[in-house]
Amino acid sequence: MDQKSGSAFVSPYGQSCGAPYVKPMPAKRIRPPEVALSEDVYERLCEASEEERRARWGAARPYGVRVMDAIEAHADRLQRVWSADTPPPGGLFVRPGPEVVPPRRRHATPPVCIALSGIDAANAQLLDRYAVEWSAGTRSALVEQALRFDLGMA
C-alpha cells in the first residue's frame, strides 16, 4: 500500500486508483511491403518521383501508390507477360521477350530494396496474390515489370 494516498496503486500522474495503471497498447503498426528493384528502375523511379514533386508538391504520390497505379494501368499486359504457354509459330520452345523481368533474376549491380509506402495490409495481400496468379514468381518481379511498363523502360 502506498502510504501517501492509502491506495494500493498510484497512476503515473500521482492519482490514486483502485486498479493498476495499464499503459494503453498502441495500434499494431504494419510495415509496408518491400520489394527489390534493379538499379536502373530505381533510378528512373526516383527521377519520375522528383519530377512529380516539383510539378505538384501536394499531390505527389508515394512509391506504393505509384506501384498500384502502374499495376492497374498495365494489368492486361502483366497478366500475359509471364504466361506464354505455347511456342511461337516455327519455334520449339517458349521464350519470354527480352523486356520481361524473369521471376528469378540476377542483377549486374545489387538490387535496391524499397518500402512501398501507401500500400496497406489488404493491398499487400492482393499484390502477393497477383504475383502468384500472373506467374510473376515474386512480388519484386511483378512490381519491377509494372514500373518498367509505366516508366517507358520496356
Side-chain angles (χ1 to χ4, degrees):
M1 278 194 88
D2 185 24
Q3 293 175 353
K4 220 183 215 186
S5 65
S7 173
F9 300 101
V10 177
S11 76
Y13 305 106
Q15 301 166 338
S16 63
C17 53
Y21 175 76
V22 177
K23 184 176 179 182
M25 293 295 291
K28 186 174 181 181
R29 183 173 173 262
I30 297 178
R31 292 179 49 143
E34 295 177 342
V35 293
L37 298 177
S38 59
E39 189 175 1
D40 59 333
V41 173
Y42 175 71
E43 287 174 359
R44 182 65 190 107
L45 177 63
C46 289
E47 290 170 6
S49 294
E50 185 62 31
E51 290 170 9
E52 190 173 88
R53 265 188 234 110
R54 271 188 255 132
R56 314 178 284 153
W57 176 258
R61 300 170 292 171
Y63 289 154
V65 175
R66 289 186 70 93
V67 165
M68 288 190 296
D69 291 345
I71 290 173
E72 284 180 346
H74 303 283
D76 294 336
R77 286 175 75 185
L78 289 167
Q79 289 176 27
R80 292 189 313 263
V81 79
W82 289 283
S83 63
D85 294 335
T86 58
L92 298 176
F93 300 100
V94 176
R95 297 185 181 153
E99 74 281 355
V100 176
V101 176
R104 299 273 185 198
R105 60 199 196 274
R106 291 185 180 169
H107 295 275
T109 58
V112 180
C113 187
I114 65 166
L116 299 177
S117 301
I119 294 184
D120 59 4
N123 285 323
Q125 288 178 344
L126 286 171
L127 187 61
D128 290 339
R129 189 177 89 198
Y130 297 142
V132 171
E133 285 178 6
W134 298 346
S135 304
T138 64
R139 176 193 311 152
S140 294
L142 174 65
V143 168
E144 183 166 335
Q145 188 65 54
L147 289 173
R148 282 185 182 278
F149 288 154
D150 200 54
L151 298 171
M153 299 176 70

